[in-house]
């Protein structure tokens, strides 16, 4: 997987800019575009607002001048006379004085007053007096008001035109239009106001762009952190590799993220744990897995390996921390099926016991042949014949198992005979109980020997570790009784019992009563490899067939020891 990651990194490096860098540039471009559009919109609205304000101001100023009683009276008087006074007289007249006073007071570009023909009666440039205005006054002279953006003799401006109505007592009819007032503000004043707004907008835009850049940088860093610096193409390659690995192996794989949630469960893991449902995404502490499996991922553990029983399967589980660089990503739990290996181990134990029995038989048979040869050499033919007759009656090998004839199954007889030899070599007598009677051969000797062999082996170990009985013996007693298709087993020993252990605790995967090895840091939660598996496996095997394995008596210190019972249904060929 690391090779694939390095390869993906190399491909990503040759493609140019990294994905996170491209995302950063795109985000910065998007932020800049949004800021420019917002700033432009704001400036445009400000520009329109300033023009509207200038128009309103011009209209207000024009109305004020047009409503001045002196202006109305003077304009009506001039309009009633034929012709227009000379420019010098107009420049010194009251209309020019009122218009200039209003212009200077308001800062307007111009305040122009005309008569009913559009001839100037007041103008900032006295040389223009008496001339017709440069922009059409038709609307105002018709009695209407208007605002306009145009260019006159004084330059570009925004202005307004308002009619002058004749006052009471004038030669004209009261309310008749006798002239008009035209006012305007320079376009530069609008631009100056827009410049002030532009500075504020530019400052705000700069701050927004800076904030967007910082946010984009933070997002880039977060994205790089979440993707571990991988490119999208790299992630796609890793996903393909993960699918190929997780679906193509027989081992179970469970991935746990750093926040304690199950991120990956392959099909093999669900099959081994006998859980058809997919618990991906659930909290690891509440996942439907054995407690011993969760104990592998505690913070104080460091890659332990443990055997456990799930259903009728014996699993070997291991957990490893996943670290990339200095970043801890979580855990990976691996599950391997050792059920068949355990069964083969039990069968090999039985075969080994039979092999030992055959070895002893060969050795004893060789001694017997030497005895016969010696008798013949010294001419004792009758004694040799009698010796051979006794051998024919007793068999070639004398098993240290009394009443073996009560076992009607040859495999059971051979198996217990071999176990008797092993027990004898360890100073333990293996004997059959008084109620033993197996009348029919068993249908599946492998299952029977797995359950019986485990109970006998435990009993022999307990007898060796315990004290001798009152007769100075260490013993193991086995009773077998068939009842139709059901085989009943009882195994007792002369040991010191199971001590303070709870009966059901003996059948928990991983629990063992074997003493710790000197100098080794072992305990009941982490027993030596293979310990604490036999009894749970035997019970699972028996229960799968409708039987069971249980503790009949816990025994006591000084003996007799514990008594275990078992029932195997459907294991007799009756």
């Amino acid at each position: 997987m690391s090779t694939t990651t390095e390869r993906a990194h190399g491909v990503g490096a040759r493609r140019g800019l990294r994905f996170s860098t491209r995302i950063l540039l795109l985000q910065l471009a998007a932020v800049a575009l949004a800021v420019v559009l917002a700033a432009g919109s704001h400036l445009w609205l400000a520009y329109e607002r300033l023009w509207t304000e200038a128009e309103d101001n011009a209209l207000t100023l024009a109305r004020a001048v047009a409503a001045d009683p002196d202006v109305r009276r003077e304009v009506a008087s001039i309009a009633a006379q034929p012709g227009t006074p000379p420019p010098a007289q107009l420049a010194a007249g009251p209309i020019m004085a009122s218009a200039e006073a209003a212009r200077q007071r308001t800062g307007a570009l111009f305040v122009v007053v005309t008569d009913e023909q559009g001839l100037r009666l007041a103008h900032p440039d006295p040389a223009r007096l008496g001339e017709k205005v440069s922009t059409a006054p038709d609307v105002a002279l018709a009695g209407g008001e208007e605002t306009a953006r145009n260019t006159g003799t004084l330059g570009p401006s925004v202005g307004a035109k308002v009619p002058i109505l004749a006052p009471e007592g004038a030669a004209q009819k009261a309310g008749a239009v006798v002239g008009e007032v035209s006012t305007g503000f320079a376009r530069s004043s609008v631009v100056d106001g827009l410049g002030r707004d532009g500075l504020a907008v530019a400052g705000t835009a700069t701050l927004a762009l800076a904030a967007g850049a910082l946010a984009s940088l933070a997002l880039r860093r977060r994205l790089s952190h979440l993707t571990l610096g991988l490119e999208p193409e790299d992630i796609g390659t890793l996903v393909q590799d993960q699918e190929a690995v997780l679906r193509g192996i027989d081992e179970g794989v469970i991935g746990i993220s750093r926040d304690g949630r199950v991120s990956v469960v392959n099909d093999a893991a669900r099959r081994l744990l006998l859980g058809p449902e997919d618990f991906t995404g659930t909290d690891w502490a509440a996942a439907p897995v054995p407690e011993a499996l969760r104990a592998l991922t505690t913070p104080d553990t460091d890659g332990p390996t443990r055997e456990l029983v799930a259903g009728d399967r014996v699993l070997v589980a291991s957990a490893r921390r996943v670290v990339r660089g200095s970043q801890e990503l979580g855990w990976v739990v691996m599950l391997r099926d050792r059920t068949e290996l355990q069964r083969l181990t039990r069968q090999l134990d039985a075969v080994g016991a039979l092999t030992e029995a055959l070895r002893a038989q060969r050795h004893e048979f060789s001694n017997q042949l030497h005895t016969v040869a010696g008798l013949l050499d010294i001419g004792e033919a009758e004694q040799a014949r009698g010796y051979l007759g006794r051998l024919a009656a007793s068999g070639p090998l004398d098993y240290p198992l009394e009443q073996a004839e009560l076992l009607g199954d040859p495999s059971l007889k051979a198996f217990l005979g071999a176990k008797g030899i092993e027990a004898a070599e360890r100073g333990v007598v293996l004997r059959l109980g008084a109620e033993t009677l197996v009348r029919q051969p068993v249908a599946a000797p492998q299952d029977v020997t797995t359950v019986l062999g485990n109970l006998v082996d435990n009993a022999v170990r307990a007898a060796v570790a315990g004290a001798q009985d009152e007769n100075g013996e260490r013993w193991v007693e086995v009773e077998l009784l068939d009842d139709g298709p059901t085989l009943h087993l009882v195994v007792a020993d002369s040991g010191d019992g199971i001590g303070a252990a709870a009966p059901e605790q003996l059948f928990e995967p991983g629990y063992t009563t074997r003493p710790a090895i000197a100098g080794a840091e072992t305990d009941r939660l982490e027993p030596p490899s293979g310990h604490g598996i036999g009894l749970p496996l035997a019970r699972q095997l028996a229960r799968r067939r409708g039987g069971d394995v249980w503790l009949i008596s816990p025994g006591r210190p000084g003996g007799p020891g514990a008594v275990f019972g078992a029932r195997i249904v459907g294991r007799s060929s009756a």
Side-chain angles (χ1 to χ4, degrees):
M1 188 64 73
S2 61
T3 304
T4 303
T5 305
E6 292 171 1
R7 173 168 52 85
H9 270 299
V11 173
R14 292 192 295 270
R15 288 177 184 145
L17 292 177
R18 298 181 60 83
F19 175 71
S20 56
T21 303
R22 296 199 299 269
I23 291 294
L24 173 63
L25 294 178
L26 287 175
Q27 288 174 334
L28 289 177
V31 170
L33 179 61
V35 169
V36 169
L37 290 177
S41 299
H42 184 81
L43 289 175
W44 173 255
L45 293 175
Y47 179 76
E48 289 297 318
R49 175 179 56 80
L50 290 173
W51 274 110
T52 302
E53 290 178 355
E55 290 175 348
D56 292 341
N57 292 336
L59 184 60
T60 300
L61 176 60
R63 287 173 177 173
V65 173
D68 187 341
D70 294 337
V71 173
R72 293 176 62 188
R73 184 175 57 254
E74 291 296 328
V75 172
S77 175
I78 293 175
Q81 298 173 8
T84 303
Q89 182 180 347
L90 292 175
I95 298 176
M96 184 69 171
S98 296
E100 283 298 298
R103 183 181 70 83
Q104 294 175 3
R105 184 173 64 251
T106 59
L109 177 64
F110 61 85
V111 175
V112 176
V113 180
T114 70
D115 59 12
E116 77 282 3
Q117 296 178 1
L119 300 178
R120 298 186 182 99
L121 304 179
H123 191 276
D125 184 4
R128 302 282 185 181
L129 294 175
E131 297 178 357
K132 192 173 183 63
V133 293
S134 59
T135 57
D138 299 340
V139 174
L141 293 178
E145 296 179 345
E146 68 172 335
T147 58
R149 302 174 189 178
N150 47 41
T151 301
T153 58
L154 297 177
S157 64
V158 53
K161 295 181 184 295
V162 174
I164 300 175
L165 304 179
E168 293 289 340
Q172 298 88 348
K173 181 181 178 181
V177 176
V178 294
E180 58 94 17
V181 176
S182 178
T183 60
F185 290 88
R187 186 176 299 176
S188 59
S189 63
V190 177
V191 175
D192 292 341
L194 185 63
R196 292 190 297 271
D197 285 354
L199 290 176
V201 170
T204 304
T206 302
L207 292 177
L209 187 61
L214 292 176
S216 299
L217 288 172
L219 183 59
R220 175 184 181 274
R221 183 175 181 181
R222 178 63 176 169
L223 180 63
S224 179
H225 176 75
L226 291 176
T227 61
L228 305 179
L230 298 178
E231 299 295 301
E233 298 84 358
D234 306 338
I235 296 174
T237 301
L238 290 178
V239 170
Q240 293 176 359
D241 293 346
Q242 173 183 296
E243 288 298 314
V245 171
L246 293 181
R247 311 305 174 193
I249 61 176
D250 292 332
E251 285 79 6
V253 178
I254 301 176
I256 303 142
S257 62
R258 56 188 157 194
D259 61 354
R261 292 199 168 271
V262 179
S263 57
V264 175
V265 181
N266 68 346
D267 296 336
R270 294 197 296 271
R271 174 176 53 82
L272 294 176
L273 294 173
L274 303 179
E277 74 281 357
D278 186 1
F279 53 91
T280 303
T282 61
D283 188 43
W284 175 239
V289 299
E291 185 62 33
L293 199 59
R294 280 193 288 269
L296 295 176
T297 59
T298 53
D300 56 346
T301 57
D302 187 14
T305 300
R306 180 172 301 167
E307 290 184 346
L308 54 94
V309 176
D312 60 346
R313 296 181 182 274
V314 179
L315 307 179
V316 175
S318 61
R320 294 291 184 273
R321 296 178 187 270
V322 180
V323 179
R324 179 179 173 83
S326 61
Q327 185 178 2
E328 184 172 328
L329 304 180
W331 291 84
V332 171
V333 178
M334 300 290 296
L335 299 173
R336 299 176 182 86
D337 191 357
R338 289 192 58 183
T339 305
E340 295 302 322
L341 181 59
Q342 286 286 341
R343 290 177 181 174
L344 288 175
T345 301
R346 295 294 178 182
Q347 293 177 14
L348 287 176
D349 289 342
V351 172
L354 293 176
T355 302
E356 287 298 316
L358 291 176
R359 179 187 60 78
Q361 180 183 17
R362 182 189 62 78
H363 180 72
E364 186 170 346
F365 187 69
S366 175
N367 291 337
Q368 292 168 350
L369 288 179
H370 283 298
T371 301
V372 172
L375 291 175
L376 292 176
D377 287 341
I378 63 176
E380 297 292 338
E382 290 298 327
Q383 292 186 19
R385 185 178 296 108
Y387 183 73
L388 290 174
R390 290 192 298 275
L391 288 179
S394 62
L397 177 63
D398 185 16
Y399 281 117
L401 182 66
E402 299 180 357
Q403 297 181 322
E405 64 276 5
L406 297 176
L407 301 175
D409 182 88
S411 63
L412 276 180
K413 185 183 298 185
F415 179 74
L416 288 177
K419 288 295 183 182
I421 294 175
E422 287 185 352
E425 291 178 351
R426 302 183 66 180
V428 178
V429 176
L430 178 64
R431 64 195 185 198
L432 294 177
E435 303 298 328
T436 296
L437 180 60
V438 178
R439 292 160 292 186
Q440 301 291 339
V442 296
Q446 294 88 353
D447 292 345
V448 174
T449 54
T450 296
V451 176
L452 180 60
N454 182 268
L455 297 178
V456 170
D457 289 343
N458 290 345
V460 170
R461 282 193 295 269
V464 172
Q468 297 177 347
D469 63 5
E470 62 274 9
N471 297 323
E473 292 184 347
R474 292 182 172 88
W475 51 265
V476 172
E477 184 174 281
V478 180
E479 282 189 352
L480 300 97
L481 179 63
D482 58 354
D483 181 13
T486 303
L487 181 65
H488 299 274
L489 309 174
V490 177
V491 179
D493 61 72
S494 62
D496 294 330
I498 64 171
E504 287 303 314
Q505 193 175 12
L506 299 173
F507 297 94
E508 293 180 0
Y511 183 85
T512 179
T513 58
R514 298 190 191 184
I517 302 173
E521 295 182 359
T522 59
D523 55 30
R524 291 182 176 179
L525 289 179
E526 291 190 27
S529 179
H531 295 182
I533 295 297
L535 281 177
L537 179 61
R539 170 176 271 188
Q540 291 286 351
L541 181 60
R543 286 182 172 178
R544 188 179 62 180
R545 303 302 179 183
D548 202 357
V549 177
W550 66 95
L551 177 68
I552 298 176
S553 172
R556 65 176 184 271
V563 181
F564 284 87
R567 182 177 68 256
I568 304 178
V569 181
R571 291 298 142 205
S572 174
S573 61

